[in-house]
Amino acid sequence: MSVRQWVVRHAGVVAAVPAVIMLASIVASVPAVVSLGLSLDDVVLWPAITAFICCGWLLAARRPANAVGWLLLMTAAGLNFLPWSVLSAWLLEHGVSAAKWSAGLSGASFVLNVGGLGLLLPLLFPDGRLPSQRRWWRIVLAADLGYMLFASVNLFQPGPVDLPGHVKVANPFGVHHKAVVGAVILCALPMLLIGFAGAFSAIVARWRQSDPAQRAQMKWVTASLVLAPVPFMVHDWWAAADNTVTLVAFPLVPITIAVSVLRYRLYEIDRIVSRAVSYLLVTGLLVGVYVGCVALLTSLLSFGSSVGVAASTLAAAALFQPLRRRVQHRVDRRFNREGYDAARTIDAFAGRLRDEIDPDLVRGDLLAVAASAIQPATVSLWVRA
């Protein structure tokens, strides 16, 4: 039995070892967070790290031959240096000098994040294989691995390592040849550019060549990646909500990847997107109506503030259902067109069924509607004698 076959057969146990170590480091660093007096900004990514660990272990155990689960674990290992550095800072403050070695490892943690999540995952998602056997994809894969190899030399960068709680320690892996280290890291830049170009071209190639199931898989991940920049945009105009949005948005990335690979309720993504967009639009419109009515009734007219607020609340409540129906109708036409067309086809068939009395016509109409709405490979109808 080869090593690969042994790993695939015992994938659950093999993946559980790093997963348990990383989860244990998160739990062990909680007292360190309190002791160092850290804020929510320092631990806001910990739910996302936990999601990467759990989803990575789940995919590695359920789909061991698929590289996506192992890449999630690799990304989790890179992100896990955040709680690991907190634990190292706490140990250093309590006189454990050996913690400087674990703190120095953080210098190469970004390699696991960029290589796993930014380069290899777009190239291999969702089946864990290259898009095709073309030489270009093998070149991209070699460039990704070369970047990770050359960029990991940053581990030997001399200088202090900044840890949470304003703790600093000299990099124990640092060497005196700083110029050589910088030159090697510079060699990783062209490989990084090739890797990003390959990742983007792999996404485009898979989308153009994919079947409906694979497109639904890509939609799940795309929906979560669209939400990923939201915390940075929210921070500019509402800093208080930044951490709240981050706690929700970032864990969705590994969760949607796990959903898409396992194909659990895969085809509900269009309905989720349409409902989310419609409720966002309805909420924005109702807020505008409410604020406008309050301003009109309390400023321009001679109503008291309490009466104006009550009247505005009633107006917004009365508008909710009709506004939601109209907005949902238009959003479904744009984002969930297949479901919208299928629903219209079924409604039209129901209307014709009330007036049709010929069984043969009803049977033929039913087969046509099923083929049009569901689009199965074959359609047959069995009628009880």
Side-chain angles (χ1 to χ4, degrees):
M1 182 186 298
S2 64
V3 175
R4 184 178 184 277
Q5 291 174 339
W6 186 89
V7 171
V8 169
R9 177 170 295 184
H10 303 87
V13 177
V14 174
V17 173
V20 169
I21 293 174
M22 289 186 285
L23 289 174
S25 66
I26 294 176
V27 174
S29 58
V30 172
V33 172
V34 179
S35 177
L36 295 173
L38 302 182
S39 63
L40 182 60
D41 295 334
D42 297 300
V43 299
V44 71
L45 289 178
W46 289 15
I49 300 171
T50 306
F52 270 102
I53 296 171
C54 296
C55 294
W57 173 82
L58 178 64
L59 291 183
R62 297 287 298 275
R63 302 286 190 273
N66 193 329
V68 172
W70 304 102
L71 290 176
L72 288 183
L73 283 177
M74 187 173 74
T75 304
L79 293 172
N80 198 64
F81 276 98
L82 295 173
W84 195 264
S85 61
V86 172
L87 187 59
S88 300
W90 182 75
L91 291 174
L92 286 171
E93 279 203 339
H94 287 75
V96 183
S97 59
K100 65 182 181 181
W101 297 98
S102 61
L105 291 173
S106 62
S109 61
F110 72 94
V111 177
L112 301 177
N113 300 332
V114 176
L117 191 61
L119 299 179
L120 292 175
L121 191 63
L123 185 65
L124 302 176
F125 180 83
D127 55 6
R129 297 189 294 268
L130 295 174
S132 68
Q133 296 299 321
R134 291 177 57 190
R135 181 178 298 178
W136 162 246
W137 303 120
R138 292 195 293 271
I139 293 175
V140 172
L141 179 60
D144 294 344
L145 298 177
Y147 162 77
M148 296 179 65
L149 177 63
F150 282 94
S152 61
V153 178
N154 190 68
L155 177 68
F156 305 103
Q157 190 77 259
V161 178
D162 294 328
L163 298 175
H166 305 288
V167 178
K168 290 188 178 183
V169 62
N171 185 8
F173 301 101
V175 297
H176 298 293
H177 304 286
K178 187 175 181 179
V180 176
V181 174
V184 174
I185 295 175
L186 190 62
C187 293
L189 181 59
M191 299 181 187
L192 179 64
L193 297 178
I194 294 174
F196 278 137
F200 179 77
S201 59
I203 294 173
V204 175
R206 286 187 187 274
W207 181 263
R208 295 179 62 181
Q209 302 169 5
S210 61
D211 54 18
Q214 200 170 61
R215 290 198 175 191
Q217 290 176 302
M218 299 178 72
K219 285 180 181 179
W220 273 97
V221 182
T222 303
S224 65
L225 292 178
V226 168
L227 295 176
V230 172
F232 303 100
M233 296 184 292
V234 169
H235 181 76
D236 294 334
W237 58 275
W238 193 8
D242 182 19
N243 290 332
T244 303
V245 178
T246 302
L247 288 171
V248 176
F250 284 177
L252 289 178
V253 176
I255 291 173
T256 53
I257 291 174
V259 168
S260 62
V261 172
L262 296 176
R263 298 191 177 191
Y264 175 74
R265 305 176 77 92
L266 183 65
Y267 290 97
E268 292 190 4
I269 181 62
D270 292 328
R271 180 175 295 274
I272 292 174
V273 171
S274 66
R275 292 296 184 271
V277 172
S278 64
Y279 276 100
L280 284 174
L281 292 175
V282 169
T283 301
L285 291 174
L286 289 179
V287 169
V289 170
Y290 178 80
V291 173
C293 290
V294 169
L296 178 66
L297 295 177
T298 59
S299 300
L300 301 181
L301 303 179
S302 59
F303 288 106
S305 59
S306 58
V307 177
V309 170
S312 302
T313 303
L314 292 175
L319 286 173
F320 174 74
Q321 283 297 342
L323 189 62
R324 187 193 66 81
R325 284 194 294 266
R326 288 180 176 271
V327 171
Q328 189 67 62
H329 177 76
R330 294 187 176 275
V331 169
D332 282 343
R333 290 180 60 183
R334 179 65 182 87
F335 290 95
N336 192 19
R337 186 69 194 187
E338 294 180 357
Y340 174 79
D341 292 340
R344 291 192 62 186
T345 302
I346 294 172
D347 290 342
F349 171 71
R352 296 193 301 270
L353 189 62
R354 287 193 291 266
D355 302 325
E356 188 60 63
I357 58 175
D358 189 348
D360 293 331
L361 292 178
V362 172
R363 185 182 300 112
D365 199 5
L366 178 59
L367 292 174
V369 167
S372 174
I374 308 176
Q375 298 180 356
T378 58
V379 181
S380 60
L381 177 63
W382 176 77
V383 181
R384 183 177 180 179

